[in-house]
Amino acid sequence: MGASFVVGALIPILPYLISKGTTALAFSVALSSIALFAVGVFKGYLAAKSVILSGIQFFAIAVGAALLGYLIGLIVQYFFPGVTVPAG
């Protein structure tokens, strides 16, 4: 479990070790998207379901969770103006 957490956390961080700025951001988003889709495909394979549909579903749920977390952060920042989110 710990190893999978480390690998999952390294995927979006690796581009920042190689590049900077918007280039690193673009590669990070691309690598993360591919990894999420791949995990969904593997899940579909293990469950004997449609691998493409499973990949899309897993990706959509993960992106939805990330957007929800971002939205909650914006709401907290709106109601508590002293709380700031560090800008990259």
Side-chain angles (χ1 to χ4, degrees):
M1 189 73 148
S4 64
F5 180 80
V6 169
V7 170
L10 280 177
I11 291 171
I13 293 173
L14 283 175
Y16 290 95
L17 300 175
I18 299 167
S19 186
K20 299 182 211 178
T22 56
T23 303
L25 177 63
F27 279 117
S28 179
V29 168
L31 278 177
S32 298
S33 298
I34 291 167
L36 288 170
F37 183 77
V39 169
V41 166
F42 186 63
K43 178 185 74 82
Y45 171 76
L46 291 177
K49 306 257 181 171
S50 167
V51 292
I52 299 298
L53 186 60
S54 182
I56 293 169
Q57 182 182 38
F58 193 86
F59 173 80
I61 290 170
V63 170
L67 290 174
L68 182 62
Y70 184 75
L71 179 64
I72 290 170
L74 290 177
I75 291 169
V76 167
Q77 194 173 16
Y78 178 78
F79 285 109
F80 301 98
V83 176
T84 59
V85 177

